[in-house]
Amino acid sequence: MSRRVLLGIDFGGTKVALATASADDVDRPLRKVRLPTRGDEGAQQVLRRSLDAAAELAGRSGTLQAVGVSTFGVIRGETVRLAPTVPGWEGLELPRLLREEFGDTPVAIDNDVNAAAAAELRWGALRGVGTGLYLNLGTGLAAALVVDGRVAPGAHGAAGEIGYLLGEPGDLAFSEGHAPLEEIISGHALARHGAALLGRPVSAASLFEAGDDPAVRALLDRAVAALAMAVANVCVVLDPERVVVGGGLMGASHHIMPRLTAEIRRAVPFPPEITAARFVDDAPLFGALALALTASGRSVREDASRPGGA
């Protein structure tokens, strides 16, 4: 008898990651595949190559039980919004296309940060948390809000898009094509500003190790201070019990976490616990598998009752 498996697909700006797993052992995927996104080819080509790879992967793993999908951007109804990275992804009817592809197999879809938070809720640092905040510090900047033990989507699927927060009155904002906070503190922004300062291409991670340059120090101090203020403000509004921080910039956590912790303790009446995420590598992919597990009918509560999780 063929074993029943879950399929996770994570659409990213530079890569598409896919994995299959048993519902009883999601922490150890059966098979993984990575594809370059090649976004310049357009959304339809990215989707077709990814779904062909998914069909082959699932066929080698067993009988498909459910599918979970994470994507950059925001899912609003039947379309993807706030997704300029790949031509044609903005406005793509991804939910409908996935339903057509997988037929009667249940499919769940969410944005990549919400998916990562779903993984942390099932098996990671948000497990058992009723009200929490997942903060993703990566190429971009976003958060996921956890309310009543579930990721809260918001009225338009855009809850937690903190990259659009204003830093001060008069900031260029969304309507002018800007994401004010993300343009200060994100991997992309830091690499761009750092390259302008140093006159050569740099990564965001390398900037945190270039501590002897006063201009770089000033850039990083401003960025981390802006992040800490914004997250403290979100905590005042949400009143979370725990803040979980993940994403690629956590390679510089020893620079970021102390400042973040100090500002939250200074500004928030009831400061939450602050901790690193469990899933650093492939967080949205494990999130996609978490979405597939939900689509298959298994609740977070069921996983919480199992020693050690899935």
Side-chain angles (χ1 to χ4, degrees), residues 3-39:
R3 64 182 162 191
R4 295 170 65 79
V5 299
L6 307 172
L7 170 67
I9 306 173
D10 170 40
F11 291 105
T14 59
K15 73 177 187 305
V16 179
L18 307 96
T20 52
S22 163
D24 294 317
D25 202 10
V26 181
D27 272 2
R28 288 186 285 275
L30 302 169
R31 299 177 186 272
K32 284 186 179 181
V33 171
R34 289 175 183 266
L35 309 172
T37 301
R38 302 208 306 250

Side-chain angles (χ1 to χ4, degrees), residues 3-241:
R3 64 182 162 191
R4 295 170 65 79
V5 299
L6 307 172
L7 170 67
I9 306 173
D10 170 40
F11 291 105
T14 59
K15 73 177 187 305
V16 179
L18 307 96
T20 52
S22 163
D24 294 317
D25 202 10
V26 181
D27 272 2
R28 288 186 285 275
L30 302 169
R31 299 177 186 272
K32 284 186 179 181
V33 171
R34 289 175 183 266
L35 309 172
T37 301
R38 302 208 306 250
D40 57 339
E41 296 179 359
Q44 294 298 331
Q45 285 298 319
V46 172
L47 186 60
R48 189 66 264 157
R49 285 190 300 108
S50 301
L51 292 178
D52 288 346
E56 181 180 356
L57 184 66
R60 287 188 283 129
S61 300
T63 302
L64 195 57
Q65 182 177 4
V67 181
V69 177
S70 68
T71 179
F72 55 93
V74 165
I75 305 297
R76 185 176 182 190
E78 286 294 304
T79 60
V80 182
R81 298 292 307 277
L82 306 182
T85 309
V86 172
W89 211 261
E90 174 78 21
L92 184 70
E93 293 183 340
L94 188 57
R96 175 182 62 80
L97 294 170
L98 291 169
R99 288 196 302 271
E100 290 177 357
E101 179 72 20
F102 292 104
D104 293 335
T105 301
V107 178
I109 180 171
D110 209 333
N111 73 55
D112 47 6
V113 176
N114 285 352
E120 294 293 334
L121 275 167
R122 276 203 180 263
W123 310 297
L126 284 169
R127 192 174 179 189
V129 169
T131 304
L133 180 69
Y134 174 79
L135 178 64
N136 186 77
L137 307 177
T139 304
L141 173 69
L145 311 182
V146 174
V147 178
D148 292 333
R150 299 181 180 184
V151 176
H156 307 96
E161 291 294 320
I162 64 171
Y164 295 97
L165 288 174
L166 300 174
E168 56 187 45
D171 269 352
L172 292 174
F174 171 73
S175 63
E176 290 94 26
H178 289 268
L181 186 59
E182 188 173 85
E183 291 169 11
I184 297 173
I185 175 67
S186 66
H188 177 75
L190 289 176
R192 179 166 54 86
H193 293 315
L197 283 175
L198 299 175
R200 56 181 170 82
V202 293
S203 68
S206 68
L207 286 177
F208 283 97
E209 305 307 322
D212 293 336
D213 188 299
V216 171
R217 278 205 311 272
L219 169 67
L220 295 177
D221 283 347
R222 175 175 178 258
V224 176
L227 174 70
M229 181 180 72
V231 175
N233 285 338
V234 173
C235 287
V236 169
V237 173
L238 181 62
D239 187 26
E241 58 197 89

